[in-house]
mmCIF file of all heavy atoms in Angstrom:
data_model
loop_
_atom_site.group_PDB
_atom_site.id
_atom_site.type_symbol
_atom_site.label_atom_id
_atom_site.label_comp_id
_atom_site.label_asym_id
_atom_site.label_seq_id
_atom_site.Cartn_x
_atom_site.Cartn_y
_atom_site.Cartn_z
ATOM 1 N N ASN M 9 16.602 18.357 -33.809
ATOM 2 C CA ASN M 9 18.005 18.784 -33.730
ATOM 3 C C ASN M 9 18.181 19.947 -34.705
ATOM 4 O O ASN M 9 18.192 19.747 -35.914
ATOM 5 C CB ASN M 9 18.894 17.594 -34.115
ATOM 6 C CG ASN M 9 20.352 17.996 -34.296
ATOM 7 O OD1 ASN M 9 20.761 19.100 -33.918
ATOM 8 N ND2 ASN M 9 21.138 17.104 -34.878
ATOM 9 N N LYS M 11 20.709 21.747 -35.180
ATOM 10 C CA LYS M 11 22.086 21.870 -35.702
ATOM 11 C C LYS M 11 22.551 23.330 -35.637
ATOM 12 O O LYS M 11 22.083 24.084 -34.788
ATOM 13 C CB LYS M 11 22.167 21.324 -37.132
ATOM 14 C CG LYS M 11 21.564 19.920 -37.215
ATOM 15 C CD LYS M 11 21.916 19.212 -38.488
ATOM 16 C CE LYS M 11 21.294 17.833 -38.487
ATOM 17 N NZ LYS M 11 21.734 17.009 -39.580
ATOM 18 N N ILE M 93 22.603 15.163 -26.977
ATOM 19 C CA ILE M 93 22.935 14.289 -28.102
ATOM 20 C C ILE M 93 24.428 13.952 -28.026
ATOM 21 O O ILE M 93 25.263 14.851 -27.870
ATOM 22 C CB ILE M 93 22.618 14.988 -29.448
ATOM 23 C CG1 ILE M 93 21.121 15.306 -29.547
ATOM 24 C CG2 ILE M 93 23.057 14.124 -30.632
ATOM 25 C CD1 ILE M 93 20.738 16.156 -30.763
ATOM 26 N N HIS M 96 26.559 12.447 -32.551
ATOM 27 C CA HIS M 96 25.827 12.708 -33.804
ATOM 28 C C HIS M 96 26.766 12.518 -34.990
ATOM 29 O O HIS M 96 27.967 12.796 -34.903
ATOM 30 C CB HIS M 96 25.259 14.134 -33.809
ATOM 31 C CG HIS M 96 24.344 14.363 -34.961
ATOM 32 N ND1 HIS M 96 24.808 14.708 -36.209
ATOM 33 C CD2 HIS M 96 23.000 14.237 -35.070
ATOM 34 C CE1 HIS M 96 23.775 14.788 -37.034
ATOM 35 N NE2 HIS M 96 22.672 14.513 -36.363
ATOM 36 N N SER M 97 26.225 12.086 -36.102
ATOM 37 C CA SER M 97 27.094 11.788 -37.256
ATOM 38 C C SER M 97 27.825 13.032 -37.750
ATOM 39 O O SER M 97 28.931 12.925 -38.285
ATOM 40 C CB SER M 97 26.295 11.142 -38.384
ATOM 41 O OG SER M 97 25.535 12.110 -39.048
ATOM 42 N N ASP M 98 27.243 14.230 -37.571
ATOM 43 C CA ASP M 98 27.981 15.441 -37.954
ATOM 44 C C ASP M 98 29.257 15.548 -37.126
ATOM 45 O O ASP M 98 30.299 15.987 -37.614
ATOM 46 C CB ASP M 98 27.132 16.706 -37.711
ATOM 47 C CG ASP M 98 25.892 16.764 -38.604
ATOM 48 O OD1 ASP M 98 25.850 16.045 -39.621
ATOM 49 O OD2 ASP M 98 24.977 17.532 -38.266
ATOM 50 N N CYS M 127 23.818 8.506 -30.781
ATOM 51 C CA CYS M 127 23.560 8.309 -32.210
ATOM 52 C C CYS M 127 24.525 7.285 -32.799
ATOM 53 O O CYS M 127 25.732 7.336 -32.539
ATOM 54 C CB CYS M 127 23.749 9.623 -32.972
ATOM 55 S SG CYS M 127 22.653 10.930 -32.438
ATOM 56 N N GLU M 168 20.738 6.587 -37.030
ATOM 57 C CA GLU M 168 20.712 7.567 -38.117
ATOM 58 C C GLU M 168 21.679 7.140 -39.213
ATOM 59 O O GLU M 168 22.879 7.412 -39.141
ATOM 60 C CB GLU M 168 21.135 8.944 -37.590
ATOM 61 C CG GLU M 168 20.220 9.485 -36.513
ATOM 62 C CD GLU M 168 20.313 11.007 -36.418
ATOM 63 O OE1 GLU M 168 21.406 11.522 -36.142
ATOM 64 O OE2 GLU M 168 19.295 11.668 -36.658
ATOM 65 N N ALA M 172 21.207 8.924 -45.074
ATOM 66 C CA ALA M 172 19.834 9.445 -45.064
ATOM 67 C C ALA M 172 19.738 10.815 -44.410
ATOM 68 O O ALA M 172 18.677 11.426 -44.400
ATOM 69 C CB ALA M 172 18.916 8.465 -44.333
ATOM 70 N N ILE M 173 20.842 11.297 -43.858
ATOM 71 C CA ILE M 173 20.787 12.556 -43.100
ATOM 72 C C ILE M 173 20.949 13.751 -44.025
ATOM 73 O O ILE M 173 21.968 13.885 -44.708
ATOM 74 C CB ILE M 173 21.882 12.582 -42.001
ATOM 75 C CG1 ILE M 173 21.605 11.470 -40.983
ATOM 76 C CG2 ILE M 173 21.910 13.944 -41.319
ATOM 77 C CD1 ILE M 173 22.623 11.384 -39.883
ATOM 78 N N GLY M 174 19.919 14.589 -44.049
ATOM 79 C CA GLY M 174 19.970 15.826 -44.826
ATOM 80 C C GLY M 174 20.010 15.598 -46.325
ATOM 81 O O GLY M 174 20.277 16.513 -47.096
ATOM 82 N N THR M 175 19.726 14.373 -46.760
ATOM 83 C CA THR M 175 19.845 14.055 -48.179
ATOM 84 C C THR M 175 18.490 13.945 -48.857
ATOM 85 O O THR M 175 18.416 13.852 -50.084
ATOM 86 C CB THR M 175 20.543 12.686 -48.367
ATOM 87 O OG1 THR M 175 19.775 11.705 -47.654
ATOM 88 C CG2 THR M 175 21.961 12.714 -47.838
ATOM 89 N N GLY M 176 17.420 13.901 -48.068
ATOM 90 C CA GLY M 176 16.097 13.675 -48.635
ATOM 91 C C GLY M 176 15.862 12.189 -48.920
ATOM 92 O O GLY M 176 14.789 11.787 -49.325
ATOM 93 N N GLY M 212 16.523 8.544 -37.295
ATOM 94 C CA GLY M 212 16.776 9.882 -37.821
ATOM 95 C C GLY M 212 17.350 9.807 -39.223
ATOM 96 O O GLY M 212 18.110 8.891 -39.569
ATOM 97 N N GLY M 213 16.987 10.774 -40.049
ATOM 98 C CA GLY M 213 17.474 10.824 -41.426
ATOM 99 C C GLY M 213 16.339 11.156 -42.369
ATOM 100 O O GLY M 213 15.548 10.283 -42.720
ATOM 101 N N SER M 214 16.233 12.464 -42.707
ATOM 102 C CA SER M 214 15.207 12.925 -43.652
ATOM 103 C C SER M 214 13.784 12.574 -43.216
ATOM 104 O O SER M 214 12.945 12.233 -44.056
ATOM 105 C CB SER M 214 15.503 12.417 -45.067
ATOM 106 O OG SER M 214 16.748 12.932 -45.514
ATOM 107 N N VAL M 215 13.533 12.675 -41.916
ATOM 108 C CA VAL M 215 12.160 12.490 -41.429
ATOM 109 C C VAL M 215 11.341 13.729 -41.776
ATOM 110 O O VAL M 215 11.816 14.860 -41.628
ATOM 111 C CB VAL M 215 12.137 12.265 -39.902
ATOM 112 C CG1 VAL M 215 10.699 12.230 -39.389
ATOM 113 C CG2 VAL M 215 12.877 10.989 -39.532
ATOM 114 N N LEU M 233 14.490 11.383 -34.502
ATOM 115 C CA LEU M 233 15.414 12.506 -34.297
ATOM 116 C C LEU M 233 15.400 13.271 -35.622
ATOM 117 O O LEU M 233 15.814 12.745 -36.652
ATOM 118 C CB LEU M 233 16.820 12.000 -33.940
ATOM 119 C CG LEU M 233 17.873 13.063 -33.622
ATOM 120 C CD1 LEU M 233 17.407 14.022 -32.537
ATOM 121 C CD2 LEU M 233 19.180 12.390 -33.163
ATOM 122 N N VAL M 234 14.864 14.466 -35.549
ATOM 123 C CA VAL M 234 14.530 15.208 -36.765
ATOM 124 C C VAL M 234 15.480 16.388 -36.937
ATOM 125 O O VAL M 234 15.625 17.204 -36.021
ATOM 126 C CB VAL M 234 13.078 15.744 -36.666
ATOM 127 C CG1 VAL M 234 12.670 16.408 -37.973
ATOM 128 C CG2 VAL M 234 12.112 14.635 -36.282
ATOM 129 N N GLY M 235 16.111 16.487 -38.087
ATOM 130 C CA GLY M 235 17.003 17.620 -38.347
ATOM 131 C C GLY M 235 16.266 18.724 -39.084
ATOM 132 O O GLY M 235 15.501 19.491 -38.499
ATOM 133 N N GLY M 236 16.473 18.803 -40.387
ATOM 134 C CA GLY M 236 15.943 19.895 -41.207
ATOM 135 C C GLY M 236 14.467 20.205 -40.968
ATOM 136 O O GLY M 236 14.080 21.374 -40.855
ATOM 137 N N ALA M 237 13.647 19.168 -40.858
ATOM 138 C CA ALA M 237 12.206 19.394 -40.719
ATOM 139 C C ALA M 237 11.832 19.970 -39.353
ATOM 140 O O ALA M 237 10.715 20.446 -39.166
ATOM 141 C CB ALA M 237 11.440 18.095 -40.985
ATOM 142 N N SER M 238 12.765 19.945 -38.404
ATOM 143 C CA SER M 238 12.441 20.512 -37.088
ATOM 144 C C SER M 238 12.633 22.026 -37.070
ATOM 145 O O SER M 238 12.319 22.689 -36.086
ATOM 146 C CB SER M 238 13.297 19.864 -35.995
ATOM 147 O OG SER M 238 14.649 20.275 -36.071
HETATM 148 P P1 PGA Z 301 17.758 15.400 -41.200
HETATM 149 O O1 PGA Z 301 18.835 15.272 -39.991
HETATM 150 O O2 PGA Z 301 16.404 15.150 -40.578
HETATM 151 O O3 PGA Z 301 17.917 16.797 -41.706
HETATM 152 O O4 PGA Z 301 18.114 14.356 -42.196
HETATM 153 C C1 PGA Z 301 18.695 14.303 -38.989
HETATM 154 C C2 PGA Z 301 19.795 14.442 -37.992
HETATM 155 O O5 PGA Z 301 20.935 14.734 -38.391
HETATM 156 O O6 PGA Z 301 19.600 14.269 -36.770
#
Side-chain angles (χ1 to χ4, degrees):
N9 170 13
K11 309 194 180 188
I93 299 173
H96 189 276
S97 76
D98 295 342
C127 300
E168 299 203 299
I173 296 179
T175 57
S214 298
V215 174
L233 183 54
V234 185
S238 71

